[in-house]
């Protein structure tokens, strides 16, 4: 009786190991549909879903955020910047490029968020820029970091002496 128990137990282990190995292989017809011949082929690996980073734009041109201010940019004088509507810990850096038609603004984003900027209003005295952080998908794991990318915004005409007003939209 003891011998029979050992044989049955060994048989169950062999069946379990065989079943586990079979889960890692996919059966595909070797000679096409209806041939009746099967071969085992390992499944193709599936890449985990990833968020593709936005394309990097040319220096001084509006587009994807980047970490460095584009070469050839000029820092906006403090007297031309109104950042009073921003939280105290928000960066206050604005640069111009391309003859004053592009604003390069240091934004703030964290985790799965992405900083964006939009020239919401432009008139003869001021340019109002809305800064927003677009949040990632819900239920997605995100890091707990804060980044300060440079976001470029195109203006309809050169900035000149106009004041840049920065506002954080939530």
């Amino acid at each position: 009786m003891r011998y029979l128990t050992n044989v049955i137990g060994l048989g169950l282990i062999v069946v379990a190991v065989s079943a586990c190995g079979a889960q890692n292989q996919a059966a595909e017809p070797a000679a096409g549909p209806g041939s009746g011949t099967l071969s085992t082929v390992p499944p193709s690996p599936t890449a985990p879903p990833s968020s593709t980073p936005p394309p990097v734009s040319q220096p001084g041109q509006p587009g994807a955020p980047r970490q460095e201010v584009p070469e050839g940019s000029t820092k906006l004088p403090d007297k031309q910047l109104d950042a009073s509507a921003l939280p105290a810990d928000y960066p206050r850096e604005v640069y111009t490029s391309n003859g004053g038609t592009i604003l390069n603004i240091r934004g703030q984003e964290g985790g799965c968020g992405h900083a964006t900027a939009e020239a919401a209003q432009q008139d003869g005295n001021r340019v109002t820029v809305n800064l927003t952080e677009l949040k990632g998908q819900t239920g997605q794991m995100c890091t707990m970091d804060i980044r300060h990318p440079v976001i470029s915004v195109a203006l309809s005409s050169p900035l000149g002496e106009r004041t840049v007003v920065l506002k954080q939209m939530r």
Side-chain angles (χ1 to χ4, degrees), residues 13-93:
I13 291 172
V14 169
V15 169
V17 169
S18 297
C20 289
Q23 288 179 349
N24 291 333
Q25 298 177 345
E28 292 185 6
S35 70
T37 308
L38 295 179
S39 68
T40 57
V41 178
S44 60
T46 56
S50 65
S51 104
T52 305
V56 178
S57 61
Q58 295 298 318
Q61 297 299 314
R66 58 188 155 277
Q67 294 305 311
E68 300 299 323
V69 175
E71 200 172 308
S73 296
T74 305
K75 189 168 183 353
L76 189 69
D78 289 342
K79 66 178 183 163
Q80 269 186 273
L81 179 61
D82 178 359
S84 60
L86 295 178
D89 61 344
Y90 204 96
R92 288 160 165 71
E93 289 181 41

Side-chain angles (χ1 to χ4, degrees), residues 145-160:
D145 62 331
I146 295 179
R147 298 176 301 275
H148 296 107
V150 175
I151 312 154
S152 297
V153 177
L155 300 179
S156 57
S157 62
L159 181 63

Side-chain angles (χ1 to χ4, degrees), residues 112 136-142:
C112 295
Q137 302 170 355
T138 57
Q140 180 180 4
M141 291 181 64
C142 299

